[in-house]
Amino acid sequence: MWRKVALERLRKAGYKITPQRLKLLDVLERIGRSHPSLREVHEAVKEEFPTISFSTLYSNVMVLRDLGLVELLHLGSETRVEVNVSPHVNVISGRRVRDLDDPELVREIERKVGGRVRFVNVVLEDEV
Amino acid sequence: MWRKVALERLRKAGYKITPQRLKLLDVLERIGRSHPSLREVHEAVKEEFPTISFSTLYSNVMVLRDLGLVELLHLGSETRVEVNVSPHVNVISGRRVRDLDDPELVREIERKVGGRVRFVNVVLEDEV
DNA sequence: GAGTAATTAGTAATAATTTCTAATTAGAAA
DNA sequence: TTTCTAATTAGAAATTATTACTAATTACTC
Ligand SMILES: [Mn+2]
Ligand SMILES: [Mn+2]
Ligand SMILES: [Zn+2]
Ligand SMILES: [Zn+2]
């Protein structure tokens, strides 16, 4: 679903559909929900398209961001790709990030903080 | 208050009380609540202690972190210092971060995500 | 006051991001 | 189908922030 929307939006915006871009969409459709780092995305794309450079991957992720198809999160020392662009809760424990889609919670937080929420990043204590 | 606790804990842990460390405590007592970046902390300390190196500042912030006196947040491309180490909500709009101390909200989130919360970083949409 | 381990500050190394550009190519036009 | 060209790619360089290293200095113990 995400991939289909992304492809359509790329076309509509006049971007060329290159093999590199198609693989990137495949990979994000598959592993995007894990909030992968840019380097993890690159590794995953390389498995199916071994010659793609980080440079190309990077610039294409920026294109997706400009089109509103992904957001970028900074976590630890790395940039993570967020494919779930609707306001939601990211539950972060160590390097793991999982989505909690809870519109009611988001609405309550918006009420309390007085602003439109983009993301709520809940950082958990490291497990003992 | 924070400064006093910090000084005491440094002493108890056997760290030497250097002028550089004292100025860092002063500065964090004063501007810590604004979640300053490491470079902002360095700039602020330099105003009162112009010869302090970033290196020294950095290593002293790491000492404070090891003692549980500060936490570090990654925001955009910079590392921010958090002096409020109790679980709370950081309301982030652009480069601004303000604290929302709302134990009830934190407890509700803990219940929903099933884990001990360290921080809740609420990222707001950029103002129009 | 002397001795010493911790600390400082300057520099180097690392790591991730971002920029740049010559060669290639997707897709429109002929 | 072939030609044309602006967009794209890939490699390398530049930038930026962090982290590591080390010789000289210093806070504290005795
Ligand atoms: Mn870090
Ligand atoms: Mn960034
Ligand atoms: Zn998410
Ligand atoms: Zn805070």
Side-chain angles (χ1 to χ4, degrees):
Chain A
M1 193 64 234
W2 179 90
R3 195 198 118 110
K4 206 169 149 64
V5 171
L7 195 47
E8 190 46 43
R9 206 172 306 177
L10 280 169
R11 285 220 166 83
K12 196 153 301 182
Y15 286 97
K16 293 181 176 173
I17 308 306
T18 63
Q20 290 89 338
R21 280 180 178 154
L22 285 172
K23 281 298 175 210
L24 172 57
L25 298 190
D26 291 347
V27 163
L28 286 180
E29 172 85 17
R30 194 171 71 250
I31 68 166
R33 298 296 150 68
S34 70
H35 306 76
S37 68
L38 290 176
R39 303 203 112 79
E40 282 167 344
V41 174
H42 185 214
E43 286 311 311
V45 174
K46 276 204 293 193
E47 291 191 6
E48 303 180 43
F49 197 119
T51 59
I52 193 175
S53 66
F54 180 81
S55 174
T56 295
L57 177 111
Y58 176 83
S59 102
N60 283 327
V61 171
M62 296 308 135
V63 166
L64 298 181
R65 185 189 52 174
D66 293 346
L67 291 175
L69 291 162
V70 303
E71 298 250 13
L72 300 178
L73 303 179
H74 293 282
L75 192 61
S77 63
E78 56 198 12
T79 299
R80 302 294 199 93
V81 180
E82 170 69 81
V83 296
N84 182 357
V85 293
S86 56
H88 68 280
V89 178
N90 289 313
V91 182
I92 302 166
S93 30
R95 284 187 26 78
R96 277 265 166 66
V97 184
R98 73 166 216 273
D99 279 358
L100 174 67
D101 285 288
D102 187 330
E104 293 207 8
L105 179 55
V106 169
R107 248 176 277 132
E108 182 188 349
I109 291 171
E110 287 188 329
R111 191 172 52 72
K112 289 201 171 194
V113 307
R116 196 105 57 88
V117 163
R118 187 150 73 180
F119 295 116
V120 177
N121 297 324
V122 175
V123 182
L124 299 182
E125 293 288 355
D126 299 332
E127 314 286 332
V128 192
Chain B
M1 193 62 234
W2 178 89
R3 196 197 118 111
K4 206 169 149 63
V5 172
L7 195 48
E8 188 47 41
R9 206 171 308 175
L10 280 168
R11 285 221 166 85
K12 194 153 303 184
Y15 287 97
K16 293 180 177 175
I17 307 306
T18 64
Q20 291 89 339
R21 280 181 179 152
L22 285 172
K23 279 299 176 210
L24 171 58
L25 297 190
D26 291 347
V27 163
L28 286 180
E29 173 85 16
R30 194 171 71 250
I31 69 168
R33 297 296 150 69
S34 69
H35 305 77
S37 68
L38 289 176
R39 302 201 115 77
E40 283 167 344
V41 174
H42 185 213
E43 286 310 313
V45 174
K46 275 204 294 193
E47 292 192 5
E48 304 180 43
F49 198 119
T51 59
I52 192 175
S53 67
F54 180 81
S55 175
T56 294
L57 177 110
Y58 176 83
S59 103
N60 283 326
V61 171
M62 296 309 134
V63 166
L64 297 182
R65 183 188 55 175
D66 293 346
L67 292 176
L69 291 162
V70 303
E71 298 251 12
L72 300 178
L73 303 178
H74 294 281
L75 190 60
S77 61
E78 56 197 14
T79 299
R80 301 293 198 95
V81 179
E82 170 69 82
V83 296
N84 182 356
V85 293
S86 56
H88 68 280
V89 178
N90 290 312
V91 182
I92 302 166
S93 31
R95 285 185 28 74
R96 276 265 165 67
V97 184
R98 73 167 216 273
D99 279 358
L100 174 67
D101 285 289
D102 188 331
E104 292 207 8
L105 179 55
V106 170
R107 248 175 278 131
E108 182 189 349
I109 291 172
E110 287 189 330
R111 191 173 52 72
K112 288 200 171 193
V113 306
R116 195 103 59 89
V117 164
R118 188 149 72 178
F119 295 116
V120 178
N121 297 323
V122 174
V123 182
L124 299 181
E125 294 288 354
D126 298 333
E127 314 285 331
V128 191

